[in-house]
């Protein structure tokens, strides 16, 4: 095996930084660059997605979540058909080609409607970006896990994860800093360029795909077949069923906060007319940037210690309680000055503490249960929760501010209760697994 002490000093430094051997280094660097470009491209488009939806009424925005759920189901059916007929290599290259072509078409569409609002364009853009977010991550990780065996994956995946985080930070920083000076068409065109670079990196990576993976016909997370099997497992297991309920409540309550964000952005910049979208885009980018930075800092220095210190149950209760505080603060002070710190804190805590704690819950189920149920929960349950949250905001707020806040507060408390219950079940399963594990005799 190649030693990471061979080669030039820069190569040795890169090997130490990425955990790669000398022969793996080009492949790992391609994976890091692919991850960076893929997620910086998404992070350029996401604030614009939020901004265009903030320019419309609540009912229309809620319908977008329903449209996204339907589009996700349709995309899953199409993926199932494609991967049954194409090798994984051809499918991944086709997916990147579709993403780049779609981004270019949307960029030109934005340029054509530069001085006017188009609900058809805004709907298409919102749904396309939302579906891309889930599918791109699934396809990317399915590819890299095929390339690197498990022992090497443990060494190089942290570097690839840093590429994802850096991409999110770079994209959101660009929008936060220059959002008012870049029109929507050029912003999406920049995103298309980054996706094209990501596609080139993917093509390089796919040249090293093992023979069995290159010809294997299987779906990434998000396929209908896997989702149906995951639904069966979730319904037959109280533990997995509660985990699905936890993610559903996270998506519902998170969408409620997001809907509050959209209402604030809509009202704050309504007087700017055609310039309102650029200002909303910049504010959304600012929220994303600081949330991404906070997440990175917490993950590096604090999150692991917090989970070990307070335990999984309390970690899972943090996001529900933070969401309750966020909704309360935004109801009583619906301003951009309140919105930015509230959203940054809530999202930072979720990604740095709640999300890792949630992943721990899968460590006490079988590999088959983990793959199938996680597929269902992270895609269909999540998007269904978005749709429920969007329409809940529309319907419940008609009862008045205090009544809706009470209803949403009860939902957040139920959310926290499910998290605490899951943490307790995790301890029992860990204890049971430890008791069943054979002990070694000296």
């Amino acid at each position: 095996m190649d030693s990471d002490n061979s080669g030039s000093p820069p190569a040795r430094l890169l090997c130490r930084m990425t955990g790669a051997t000398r022969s793996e280094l080009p492949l790992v660097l391609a994976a890091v660059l692919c991850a960076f470009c893929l997620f910086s491209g998404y992070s350029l488009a996401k604030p614009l997605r939020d901004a265009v939806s903030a320019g419309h009424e609540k009912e229309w925005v809620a319908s977008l979540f329903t449209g996204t759920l339907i589009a996700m189901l349709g995309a899953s059916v199409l993926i199932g058909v494609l991967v049954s007929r194409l090798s994984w290599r051809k499918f991944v290259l086709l997916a990147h080609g579709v993403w780049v072509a779609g981004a270019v078409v949307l960029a030109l569409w934005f340029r054509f409607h530069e001085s006017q609002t188009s609900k058809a364009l805004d709907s298409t853009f919102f749904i396309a970006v939302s579906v891309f977010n889930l599918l791109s991550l699934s396809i990317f990780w399915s590819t890299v896990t095929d390339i690197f065996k498990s022992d090497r994956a443990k060494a190089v995946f942290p570097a690839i994860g840093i590429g994802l985080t850096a991409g999110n930070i770079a994209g959101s920083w660009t929008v936060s800093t220059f959002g008012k000076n870049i029109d929507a068409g050029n912003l999406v065109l920049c995103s298309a360029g980054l996706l094209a670079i990501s596609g080139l990196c993917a093509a390089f990576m796919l040249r090293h795909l093992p023979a069995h993976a290159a010809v294997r016909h299987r779906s990434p997370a998000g396929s209908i077949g896997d989702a149906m099997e995951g639904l069966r497992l979730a319904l037959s297991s109280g533990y997995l069923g509660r985990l699905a309920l936890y993610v559903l409540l996270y998506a519902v309550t998170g969408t409620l906060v997001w809907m509050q964000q959209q209402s604030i952005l809509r009202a704050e910049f309504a007087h700017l007319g055609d310039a309102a979208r650029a200002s909303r885009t910049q504010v959304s980018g600012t929220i994303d940037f600081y949330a991404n930075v906070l997440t990175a800092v917490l993950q590096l220095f604090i999150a692991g210690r917090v989970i070990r210190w307070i335990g999984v149950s309390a970690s899972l209760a943090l996001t529900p309680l933070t969401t309750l505080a966020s909704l309360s603060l935004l109801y009583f002070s619906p301003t951009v000055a309140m919105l930015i710190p509230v959203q940054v804190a809530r999202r930072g805590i979720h990604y740095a503490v709640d999300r890792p704690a949630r992943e721990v819950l899968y460590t006490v189920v079988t590999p088959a249960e983990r793959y199938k149920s996680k597929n269902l929960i992270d895609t269909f349950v999540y998007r269904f929760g978005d749709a429920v949250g969007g329409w809940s905001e529309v319907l419940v707020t008609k009862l008045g501010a205090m009544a809706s806040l009470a209803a949403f507060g009860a939902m957040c408390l139920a959310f926290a209760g499910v998290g605490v219950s899951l943490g307790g079940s995790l301890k029992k399963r860990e204890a049971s697994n430890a008791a069943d594990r054979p002990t070694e005799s000296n």
Side-chain angles (χ1 to χ4, degrees), residues 424-442:
S425 296
L426 174 70
K427 284 186 176 181
K428 291 179 182 178
R429 283 179 170 242
E430 287 175 334
S432 176
N433 291 345
D436 293 339
R437 192 179 299 123
T439 58
E440 296 181 0
S441 58
N442 293 326

Side-chain angles (χ1 to χ4, degrees), residues 39-118:
F39 280 83
S40 57
Y42 168 71
S43 295
L44 287 177
K46 180 181 176 294
L48 179 60
R49 182 205 69 171
D50 293 347
V52 297
S53 63
H56 299 280
E57 62 276 6
K58 284 184 179 181
E59 290 79 5
W60 183 83
V61 176
S63 70
L64 292 180
F65 286 114
T66 304
T68 299
L69 178 62
I70 295 171
M72 190 71 203
L73 291 170
S76 298
V77 172
L78 179 60
I79 287 173
V81 172
L82 289 175
V83 297
S84 68
R85 290 167 170 76
L86 300 175
S87 68
W88 186 249
R89 178 183 288 114
K90 290 180 179 179
F91 168 73
V92 173
L93 293 176
L94 175 63
H96 276 83
V98 170
W99 296 339
V100 173
V104 170
V105 169
L106 287 168
L108 295 175
W109 198 354
F110 270 115
R111 296 297 297 273
F112 181 74
H113 285 282
E114 191 171 355
S115 60
Q116 55 184 324
T117 299
S118 167

Side-chain angles (χ1 to χ4, degrees), residues 69-357:
L69 178 62
I70 295 171
M72 190 71 203
L73 291 170
S76 298
V77 172
L78 179 60
I79 287 173
V81 172
L82 289 175
V83 297
S84 68
R85 290 167 170 76
L86 300 175
S87 68
W88 186 249
R89 178 183 288 114
K90 290 180 179 179
F91 168 73
V92 173
L93 293 176
L94 175 63
H96 276 83
V98 170
W99 296 339
V100 173
V104 170
V105 169
L106 287 168
L108 295 175
W109 198 354
F110 270 115
R111 296 297 297 273
F112 181 74
H113 285 282
E114 191 171 355
S115 60
Q116 55 184 324
T117 299
S118 167
K119 279 195 171 183
L121 169 58
D122 292 349
S123 301
T124 302
F125 183 71
F126 184 98
I127 293 172
V129 172
S130 300
V131 172
F132 166 80
N133 177 34
L134 287 179
L135 294 184
S136 60
L137 184 63
S138 172
I139 291 171
F140 172 78
W141 282 115
S142 294
T143 301
V144 295
T145 51
D146 273 343
I147 294 172
F148 298 101
K149 295 180 180 179
S150 59
D151 58 330
R152 297 305 306 146
K154 293 176 183 177
V156 302
F157 275 18
I160 297 173
I162 291 173
L164 295 175
T165 302
N168 279 327
I169 292 174
S172 55
W173 175 84
T174 301
V175 178
S176 174
T177 306
F178 305 108
K180 285 187 177 180
N181 302 318
I182 306 175
D183 63 55
N186 286 331
L187 197 63
V188 179
L189 202 58
C190 290
S191 181
L194 288 166
L195 294 180
I197 297 173
S198 174
L200 293 175
C201 294
F204 177 83
M205 292 162 56
L206 290 165
R207 289 170 53 190
H208 298 270
L209 201 65
H212 71 276
V215 299
R216 187 187 344 174
H217 291 167
R218 51 91 166 95
S219 297
S223 67
I224 289 292
D226 286 339
M228 295 305 296
E229 177 63 16
L231 178 62
R232 184 192 67 78
L233 290 171
L235 292 176
S236 61
S237 167
Y239 182 76
L240 291 175
R242 276 179 291 151
L243 208 164
L245 177 61
Y246 182 85
V247 173
L248 176 68
L249 289 171
Y250 166 75
V252 171
T253 55
T255 301
L256 292 173
V257 178
W258 185 85
M259 292 288 281
Q260 281 294 102
Q261 170 183 311
Q262 301 308 90
S263 296
I264 292 170
L265 293 179
R266 186 183 307 115
E268 186 79 16
F269 300 107
H271 65 284
L272 296 180
D274 293 339
R277 185 169 63 190
S279 296
R280 291 168 182 148
T281 300
Q282 189 170 41
V283 171
S284 297
T286 299
I287 293 172
D288 289 347
F289 170 66
Y290 285 112
N292 288 329
V293 170
L294 177 61
T295 299
V297 171
L298 291 176
Q299 286 176 334
L300 285 172
F301 303 110
I302 299 174
R305 295 181 179 89
V306 168
I307 294 174
R308 288 194 298 271
W309 179 44
I310 67 175
V312 172
S313 291
S315 297
L316 291 172
L318 274 180
T319 291
L321 298 178
T322 305
T323 301
L324 176 57
S326 300
L327 284 168
S328 302
L329 289 170
L330 293 178
Y331 266 99
F332 290 109
S333 181
T335 63
V336 170
M338 179 62 74
L339 172 67
I340 293 176
V342 160
Q343 276 286 61
V344 168
R346 190 190 70 85
R347 288 170 53 183
I349 289 173
H350 163 66
Y351 287 114
V353 180
D354 169 76
R355 186 64 185 265

